[in-house]
Amino acid sequence: MGGVVTIDQKQFIKTARQATGGNDVIAVVKNNAYNHGLQFTVESFLEAGIKAFATTSMDEALTIRELSEEAMVFLMNPVQEIEVAREKDIHITLPSLQYYYDNKDRLSGVKVHLEYAGLFNRSGFENAEDIKEVIRDVYFSDQEPGIDIQGIWTHFGYADEIKMDHYELERSLWMDVLAEVSSTGHNFKYIHAQNSASYARDGLFTGHTHLRLGIALYGSRPYSLLSADDYVQSLSLKAPIIQIRRLTKGQKCGYGGVYEAKDDVHIAIVDIGYGDGILRKRADFDCMIGTRRFPIKALMMSHMIVEVDDIVEVGDEVVLYSNGMRIDEYTNLGVGANSEQLGALNYNSLKKVILNDDRVCR
Ligand SMILES: Cc1ncc(COP(=O)(O)O)c(C=O)c1O
């Protein structure tokens, strides 16, 4: 049957609700909602009380709009499909003075969020003066205001880097910019800066209307010092054992004899591999069979070799991820970022099961 990803929808919703801490949240659902499935995720987050969504692609923004007429949909990438944004009521980022002047006429009636680059510096205005120039041009010049400036935002590049001290600097640069821009008297409906790590560190900043959370909503800790109890993981990944083989000491198996038995052993051949999106580094660590952990010895495209004992049988399920084998645990062990492990999962070959009320509903 191969690998199966199971998401417990009730827990998924519960985890998301808990992650918001009762604050207004813009849920980051880019890349097919961190590979959980956009429709499933948006519907679940709406049920968790979340009313605003952010993504990086216009296609995803339009899908969200179809799923909810009322939701605030924010496109974080600079776009040229400005007319579509206006028609479908998609909020877009305003990333620079150049973009503003190049597109000023086309932006009439479009809802925008001014972006401050800060230390992350992937996109955005470099200083408060340029942001103020746009506000003055839109609201304090002779012309009728064309653009609808609804928001202001930034993204932190160091909030997750708990061992580096740059976060304090980028946070204070942002606060200074915000204070200076606020001196124009313009009222923003949306002021948002914080991802999961920044929120875990500081709570919602004063004067900010929304958090902009990703990974915490999906049940992973942004950094390992946090308690796992506050971020219950609703996703699990398992695959069945399709063969048990006995090897005598010195016998090899796999491509190029990658595995050599150090003793007389039993090995389990499991129906999952890197072709299903298991990161190679993940195979440096254990898997779980029943309640016991066993070492993975080799990872191939469609198969995995696990050293087991004589109790383990064909058909037993081998767990690679669960709330007891958390994605963030492996992030901490160096397997890859939470989003990297999630994003790699290959739903063309894995079966996906959504559990709801103990029933399989999708
Ligand atoms: C601009 C922006 N905001 C917020 C987030 C959410 O970050 P996290 O998943 O760490 O909460 C991301 C994720 O990459 C992002 O790119």
Side-chain angles (χ1 to χ4, degrees):
M1 185 180 58
V4 180
V5 170
T6 304
I7 304 175
D8 177 340
Q9 187 169 20
K10 272 190 161 176
Q11 184 58 58
F12 187 75
I13 294 168
K14 206 169 157 190
T15 297
R17 189 175 283 126
Q18 179 165 7
T20 68
N23 298 291
D24 284 335
V25 163
I26 301 172
V28 179
V29 292
K30 63 183 185 171
N31 291 89
N32 200 25
Y34 287 43
N35 212 11
H36 283 68
L38 189 58
Q39 181 171 348
F40 160 77
T41 302
V42 169
E43 287 172 355
S44 302
F45 286 173
L46 285 167
E47 250 185 275
I50 294 169
K51 300 184 182 77
F53 299 89
T55 181
T56 47
S57 98
M58 180 57 96
D59 282 352
E60 288 194 339
L62 293 174
T63 302
I64 301 164
R65 172 57 68 236
E66 274 175 28
L67 291 167
S68 168
E69 278 178 25
E70 292 86 37
M72 194 285 276
V73 183
F74 176 48
L75 194 38
M76 301 188 285
N77 274 2
V79 285
Q80 284 304 320
E81 299 125 302
I82 294 171
E83 290 69 25
V84 182
R86 183 190 305 105
E87 190 198 326
K88 297 293 182 183
D89 192 23
I90 309 287
H91 296 217
I92 60 174
T93 189
L94 207 159
S96 64
L97 264 186
Q98 174 90 41
Y99 178 95
Y100 172 65
Y101 286 120
D102 286 352
N103 298 290
K104 194 170 154 180
D105 296 335
R106 293 174 65 207
L107 283 165
S108 184
V110 177
K111 293 174 180 159
V112 301
H113 296 208
L114 300 164
E115 178 179 3
Y116 170 59
L119 295 190
F120 187 52
N121 212 14
R122 183 169 63 189
S123 169
F125 289 81
E126 285 178 19
N127 55 62
E129 215 27 69
D130 289 355
I131 296 177
K132 282 161 70 179
E133 183 175 324
V134 175
I135 294 174
R136 277 194 228 104
D137 195 55
V138 173
Y139 294 109
F140 302 102
S141 65
D142 295 339
Q143 68 217 340
E144 279 287 300
I147 311 183
D148 184 355
I149 301 179
Q150 294 246 330
I152 186 162
W153 72 295
T154 194
H155 187 47
F156 296 129
Y158 295 91
D160 295 66
E161 309 301 327
I162 215 80
K163 294 193 181 113
M164 296 172 89
D165 52 13
H166 301 56
Y167 171 63
E168 283 71 21
L169 174 60
E170 65 182 347
R171 188 180 59 189
S172 94
L173 288 169
W174 162 244
M175 293 300 188
D176 290 348
V177 164
L178 199 54
E180 208 182 320
V181 171
S182 299
S183 71
T184 58
H186 181 67
N187 263 329
F188 294 99
K189 195 168 167 197
Y190 298 93
I191 302 177
H192 50 105
Q194 296 175 269
N195 71 345
S196 304
S198 169
Y199 174 53
R201 284 173 168 222
D202 290 331
L204 179 67
F205 292 154
T206 312
H208 286 58
T209 63
H210 288 71
L211 301 162
R212 203 179 54 253
L213 302 182
I215 200 65
L217 297 175
Y218 300 91
S220 288
R221 288 171 292 180
Y223 51 89
S224 61
L225 298 175
L226 301 163
S227 163
D229 294 345
D230 297 332
Y231 301 81
V232 177
Q233 183 180 307
S234 57
L235 177 147
S236 64
L237 172 61
K238 62 188 179 203
I241 294 173
I242 51 173
Q243 243 196 98
I244 301 278
R245 299 183 69 79
R246 276 181 159 178
L247 299 190
T248 51
K249 185 176 175 182
Q251 242 187 325
K252 295 182 178 177
C253 92
Y255 293 109
V258 63
Y259 170 71
E260 179 175 347
K262 299 271 177 301
D263 233 317
D264 293 354
V265 291
H266 289 78
I267 56 165
I269 312 299
V270 187
D271 197 5
I272 197 164
Y274 60 76
D276 300 296
I278 311 304
L279 297 183
R280 282 226 177 243
K281 263 307 239 166
R282 173 64 188 83
D284 290 351
F285 304 97
D286 293 346
C287 56
M288 185 103 81
I289 304 172
T291 54
R292 296 179 303 148
R293 290 189 179 225
F294 293 95
I296 301 170
K297 291 296 182 182
L299 187 71
M300 295 167 256
M301 185 168 167
S302 327
H303 300 102
M304 200 169 77
I305 296 173
V306 180
E307 219 174 70
V308 293
D309 59 19
D310 53 5
I311 300 170
V312 172
E313 295 177 343
V314 169
D316 283 355
E317 281 174 348
V318 176
V319 176
L320 284 153
Y321 290 119
S322 68
N323 194 44
M325 301 202 100
R326 297 175 53 90
I327 287 163
D328 55 29
E329 187 186 318
Y330 295 105
T331 299
N332 195 33
L333 291 166
V335 169
N338 294 317
S339 53
E340 211 174 326
Q341 293 175 72
L342 284 168
L345 296 177
N346 179 3
Y347 290 112
N348 288 321
S349 60
L350 293 168
K351 187 173 167 203
K352 187 170 175 187
V353 173
I354 305 292
L355 292 181
N356 194 331
D357 282 326
D358 304 325
R359 282 174 293 127
V360 176
C361 72
R362 197 168 311 157

